[in-house]
C-alpha cells in the first residue's frame, strides 16, 4: 500500500493529528491505521466515559455503512445495530397515524446504533494509546512551513504535518480556514427521556414504535426515538427566539411542562403525555448550522471533517454519516495520493460540494418541518423516501 509524504518530505511518515474523538475523528484514525499510517487523536474529554454519549444514530448504506466498511467494522456494526430502529412514523396533531414504514427483515437502509456503542466499536479498533484524552485544544499556530503547533489547556503541545479538525460544531481548528461561525436556525429542541418505556410508559412506548416517531404540525413538533435498553429519547421542537427560553429554569420540571403544554394547546391528549409524563431531565438543544455553502481555500497542513466542516440541522439525518464518510475519504486520499497537499485538495474537492448539497437539504427539511405546513411537507418527504426504497409500494407505508 503506498505511503503519503508531505509536499516537501521531511519525515518518513507524516505526523497526522486528528482533533476530536467523535464518529468522524475516530473513523479517520481507524482507516489511516488500516493503511499502516501513524496518527494521534486528541480529545478534550478526560476519558472515553467522561460524559454519557446519549442518543442513537442511524448508519446509512451509502455513507455511514460505507465508512464502516472502509474501517473493516461493518459486520460488527450490523451485529450491534438495531435494524428494527429503521421504523419511521408520522402522526398528525390529532395523533392519527399518517405514515408508518416498518423495515422488512432483510433491509438495512439505516440501522440504528447507540452513540456509546459506536464510539466503543471505533475505539476498540484503534491501536492502544492512539487517543490522548484530556487534551482540550486551545490554539493552533501555523509555523510557516505548512506545519502547525497544537496547544492544549493542560500545557501540552504537539507539532503536526497535517491537522485534521474533527472537533465538532464549535471547532477551534476551523478558524484557520474560515471566518464562518454557526448561526441559530430559529428552532430549539427541548430534550427529555422515557426510561424503561415498555414497563413504565407502555402506552407511549406503543405510540412511538421501534424507531422514530414524529408528530409535526403548526411549526412545532414532538419527535421520539427508540434507543437501546428500551429507552426513548424525546425532542420537543419549537420555532422560537432564543429570548423565549431565557426566563425558563429547565431544572423546574413543573414549570417547563406547563410552558410546553401551553405551546402545544389543542394537540391530542396522548401526544401531550409525551410532555407531561416523561422522566426529564430537560435539556436545551438549540439547533445551529454553518452557512450554506461553507467553503474555504485549500491550505497546506490543515483540513476539516464532519460538523467542524459542515454543521447542519439534524433534519438531514446525515451528520454522523457524513462525518464518517468524510473521514474514510480523507484517510484513503492520504494513503494513496503522493503528497499530503494533493490528498487534502482531492478530498476537499469531493467533500465540499457533497456537504453543501446535504446542508441545503437539511436547511430545507428543517424549514419545511417547522412551517405552518409541516405535516403535509413531512408526509411528502417520507413518501418520496419510501418510493425510492420500495418503488411502487410507497402506498404500503402511507395510511
Ligand atoms: C438532536 C440531534 C440529533 C442528531 N441525530 C442524528 C442522526 O440520527 N444521524 C446522524 O447521522 N446525525 C445526527 N446528528 C448529528 C450528529 O450528532 C453529528 O453530525 C455528529 O456527531 C458529528 O460528528 P463529528 O465527529 O464531526 O463531531 P462530534 O460528534 O461533535 O465530535 C467532536 C469531538 O471533538 C471533541 N472536541 C471538541 N472541541 C474540542 C477541543 N477544543 N479540543 C479537543 N477536543 C475537542 C469533542 O469532545 C468530541 O468528542 C444529530 C445531532 C443532533 C443535535
Amino acid at each position: 500500500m503506498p505511503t503519503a509524504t508531505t509536499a516537501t518530505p521531511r519525515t518518513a511518515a507524516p505526523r497526522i493529528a486528528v482533533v476530536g474523538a467523535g464518529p468522524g475523528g475516530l473513523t479517520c484514525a481507524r482507516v489511516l491505521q488500516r493503511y499502516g499510517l501513524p496518527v494521534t487523536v486528541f480529545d478534550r474529554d478526560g476519558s472515553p466515559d467522561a460524559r454519557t454519549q446519549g442518543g442513537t444514530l442511524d448508519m446509512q448504506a451509502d455513507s455511514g455503512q460505507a465508512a464502516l466498511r472502509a474501517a473493516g467494522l461493518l459486520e460488527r456494526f450490523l451485529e450491534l445495530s438495531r435494524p428494527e430502529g429503521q421504523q419511521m412514523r408520522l402522526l398528525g396533531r390529532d395523533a392519527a397515524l399518517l405514515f408508518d414504514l416498518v423495515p422488512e427483515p432483510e433491509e438495512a437502509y439505516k440501522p440504528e446504533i447507540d452513540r456509546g456503542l459506536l464510539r466503543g466499536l471505533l475505539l476498540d479498533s484503534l491501536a492502544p494509546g492512539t487517543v490522548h484524552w484530556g487534551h482540550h485544544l486551545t490554539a493552533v499556530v501555523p509555523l510557516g512551513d505548512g506545519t502547525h503547533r497544537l496547544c492544549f489547556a493542560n500545557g501540552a503541545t504537539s507539532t503536526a504535518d497535517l491537522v485534521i479538525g474533527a472537533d465538532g460544531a464549535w471547532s477551534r481548528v476551523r478558524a484557520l480556514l474560515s471566518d464562518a461561525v454557526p448561526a441559530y436556525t430559529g428552532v430549539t429542541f427541548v430534550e427529555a427521556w422515557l426510561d424503561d418505556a415498555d414497563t413504565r410508559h407502555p402506552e407511549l412506548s406503543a405510540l412511538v414504535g421501534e424507531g422514530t416517531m414524529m408528530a409535526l404540525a403548526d411549526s412545532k413538533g414532538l419527535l421520539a426515538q427508540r434507543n437501546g435498553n428500551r429507552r426513548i429519547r424525546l425532542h420537543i421542537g419549537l420555532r422560537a427566539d432564543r429570548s423565549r427560553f431565557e426566563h425558563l429554569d429547565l431544572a423546574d420540571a413543573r414549570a417547563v411542562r406547563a410552558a410546553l403544554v401551553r405551546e402545544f394547546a389543542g394537540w391530542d391528549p396522548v401526544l401531550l403525555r409525551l410532555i407531561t409524563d416523561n422522566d426529564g431531565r430537560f435539556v436545551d438543544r438549540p439547533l445551529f448550522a454553518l452557512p450554506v455553502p461553507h467553503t474555504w481555500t485549500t491550505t497546506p497542513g490543515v483540513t476539516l471533517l464532519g460538523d467542524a466542516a459542515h454543521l447542519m440541522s439534524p433534519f438531514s439525518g446525515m451528520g454522523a454519516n457524513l462525518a464518517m464518510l468524510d473521514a474514510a475519504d480523507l484517510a484513503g486520499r492520504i494513503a494513496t495520493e503522493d503528497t499530503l497537499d494533493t490528498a487534502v485538495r482531492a478530498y476537499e474537492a469531493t467533500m465540499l460540494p457533497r456537504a453543501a448539497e446535504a446542508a441545503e437539504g437539511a436547511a430545507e427539511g428543517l424549514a419545511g418541518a417547522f412551517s405552518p405546513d409541516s405535516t403535509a411537507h413531512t408526509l411528502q418527504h417520507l413518501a418520496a423516501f419510501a418510493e425510492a426504497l420500495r418503488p411502487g409500494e410507497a402506498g404500503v407505508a402511507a395510511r
Side-chain angles (χ1 to χ4, degrees):
M1 213 171 285
T3 305
T5 57
T6 53
T8 343
R10 56 179 77 72
T11 49
R15 294 164 296 179
I16 302 174
V18 175
V19 184
L26 293 177
T27 303
C28 188
R30 164 66 178 173
V31 179
L32 285 170
Q33 288 186 350
R34 287 198 90 203
Y35 280 106
L37 290 170
V39 55
T40 307
V41 181
F42 298 98
D43 200 282
R44 65 184 172 191
D45 286 351
S47 74
D49 312 315
R51 61 189 162 91
T52 52
Q53 293 296 301
T56 175
L57 292 170
D58 57 12
M59 290 285 104
Q60 298 172 15
D62 53 1
S63 49
Q65 289 182 50
L68 286 162
R69 187 178 295 110
L73 299 172
L74 184 60
E75 275 183 24
R76 184 68 187 125
F77 160 76
L78 290 171
E79 285 165 15
L80 293 172
S81 68
R82 284 176 285 107
E84 67 280 11
Q86 299 171 105
Q87 183 176 7
M88 285 187 283
R89 277 187 174 167
L90 179 69
L91 278 64
R93 71 206 287 273
D94 57 358
L97 187 60
L98 304 174
F99 179 94
D100 192 12
L101 182 67
V102 180
E104 299 290 347
E106 74 285 0
E107 282 178 333
Y109 48 91
K110 57 180 196 82
E112 294 279 341
I113 187 166
D114 285 9
R115 276 175 189 266
L117 275 181
L118 179 65
R119 193 184 223 195
L121 174 66
L122 290 164
L123 278 174
D124 289 349
S125 74
L126 295 176
T130 301
V131 183
H132 293 212
W133 299 104
H135 280 63
H136 188 158
L137 184 81
T138 51
V140 191
V141 184
L143 298 179
D145 59 354
T147 67
H148 291 81
R149 181 178 303 121
L150 294 96
C151 307
F152 299 97
N154 62 5
T157 60
S158 179
T159 302
D161 297 312
L162 178 62
V163 179
I164 299 173
D167 48 345
W170 303 101
S171 169
R172 288 263 175 174
V173 179
R174 186 164 57 223
L176 288 169
L177 297 173
S178 133
D179 294 332
V181 284
Y184 178 51
T185 58
V187 174
T188 288
F189 281 180
V190 179
E191 182 182 284
W193 289 84
L194 298 167
D195 292 323
D196 196 5
D198 299 351
T199 312
R200 299 187 51 243
H201 308 281
E203 194 186 356
L204 296 178
S205 183
L207 183 80
V208 170
E210 293 301 316
T212 299
M213 183 227 82
M214 297 180 283
L216 292 162
D218 319 328
S219 304
K220 55 191 78 138
L222 298 169
L223 301 95
Q225 208 173 20
R226 177 81 60 178
N227 285 238
N229 296 326
R230 308 309 291 162
R231 298 182 82 211
I232 291 172
R233 185 173 64 165
L234 180 65
H235 284 130
I236 301 153
L238 296 168
R239 189 168 277 290
D241 288 341
R242 289 300 295 152
S243 57
R244 199 134 134 229
F245 293 88
E246 275 165 11
H247 67 283
L248 205 57
D249 173 9
L250 289 180
D252 183 350
R254 185 188 295 229
V256 175
R257 290 186 206 285
L260 291 174
V261 166
R262 274 197 301 279
E263 295 282 353
F264 286 81
W267 285 47
D268 189 90
V270 72
L271 291 173
L272 295 183
R273 284 184 47 208
L274 289 166
I275 299 173
T276 54
D277 293 12
N278 66 60
D279 300 307
R281 167 182 78 89
F282 292 105
V283 181
D284 183 25
R285 300 235 183 261
L287 302 183
F288 283 81
L290 280 164
V292 184
H294 176 229
T295 187
W296 60 84
T297 306
T298 298
T299 303
V302 60
T303 191
L304 303 173
L305 62 79
D307 279 5
H310 45 66
L311 177 69
M312 59 188 80
S313 97
F315 270 74
S316 71
M318 289 290 291
N321 284 276
L322 282 181
M324 293 168 68
L325 186 60
D326 292 352
D329 283 356
L330 175 58
R333 291 292 189 180
I334 292 170
T336 53
E337 295 282 336
D338 288 340
T339 71
L340 288 176
D341 288 353
T342 55
V344 167
R345 194 173 297 282
Y347 156 71
E348 291 178 352
T350 305
M351 181 276 286
L352 287 170
R354 177 175 68 207
E357 191 184 337
E360 207 171 304
E364 278 172 21
L366 186 75
F370 287 85
S371 70
D373 255 353
S374 38
T375 317
H377 178 277
T378 310
L379 188 54
Q380 195 180 7
H381 176 80
L382 290 171
F385 179 84
E387 177 61 30
L389 184 69
R390 300 180 200 157
E393 292 179 40
V396 174
R399 304 250 165 146

